[in-house]
Amino acid sequence: MNIRILFACAALAAPLAHAHVTLEQASANAGAYQKLTFRVGHGCKGSPTHTLTVTLPQGISGAKPMPKAGWTISGTASQVTWKGGPLQDAHFDEFAMQVKLPATVGKHYFKVTQLCDEGRLDWDAIPDASGAKLASPAPVLEILPAAAGAPHH
């Protein structure tokens, strides 16, 4: 195999090996109803994912999870859990919900627990003032001031 092709394949695969649970949306307007899509990029060290639990930050409410074929949904006022699958380590998937955002602007962090056939990953690390790279960062949504006169759906 040509060494350039080998390096190109390795470069393309590297981001997948370090994937985290992330939010598709980087920001949204304060006070709005917003669809949030959590992307799961891998299992637990090769093991398939069978449960994903998202904990809502304070002030975010009214979660309405989107059904997924092959998964059951349960929840409380502050958590949504999908169980089923399994989601194989070699694949990615998205888990969506609609929420009501608070009027408070700033970064809001969602703690996520990913359970696999063998092991678990807790995506719950929140950055501090040091700016150190986090091994298991919590997905973050930046809530921006609502535009003047913007309707809240």
Side-chain angles (χ1 to χ4, degrees):
M1 178 180 264
N2 184 323
I3 194 138
R4 286 186 216 167
I5 294 172
L6 183 62
F7 281 123
C9 290
L12 290 173
L16 299 175
H18 300 291
H20 303 297
V21 174
T22 58
L23 263 174
E24 179 179 31
Q25 301 77 9
S27 63
N29 290 332
Y33 285 91
Q34 179 68 42
K35 177 184 174 188
L36 301 177
T37 305
F38 295 86
R39 291 181 172 163
V40 178
H42 59 76
C44 307
K45 296 182 180 178
S47 180
T49 299
H50 60 73
T51 304
L52 190 77
T53 300
V54 176
T55 301
L56 303 177
Q58 186 172 354
I60 294 180
S61 61
K64 292 183 180 181
M66 181 181 287
K68 291 184 66 59
W71 296 79
T72 60
I73 301 170
S74 61
T76 65
S78 63
Q79 283 189 333
V80 175
T81 299
W82 288 267
K83 288 185 181 184
L87 171 58
Q88 298 299 320
D89 183 60
H91 302 121
F92 89 97
D93 204 348
E94 298 177 331
F95 297 79
M97 68 175 79
Q98 179 181 326
V99 298
K100 173 77 163 107
L101 300 178
T104 309
V105 299
K107 292 184 178 182
H108 290 70
Y109 294 88
F110 296 79
K111 295 183 178 184
V112 178
T113 300
Q114 180 181 0
L115 301 178
C116 300
D117 289 347
E118 295 180 25
R120 71 183 276 159
L121 294 169
D122 292 302
W123 304 102
D124 59 359
I126 297 172
D128 59 21
S130 74
K133 184 175 179 179
L134 304 172
S136 56
V140 61
L141 178 70
E142 175 114 29
I143 298 181
L144 305 172
H152 298 286
H153 302 282

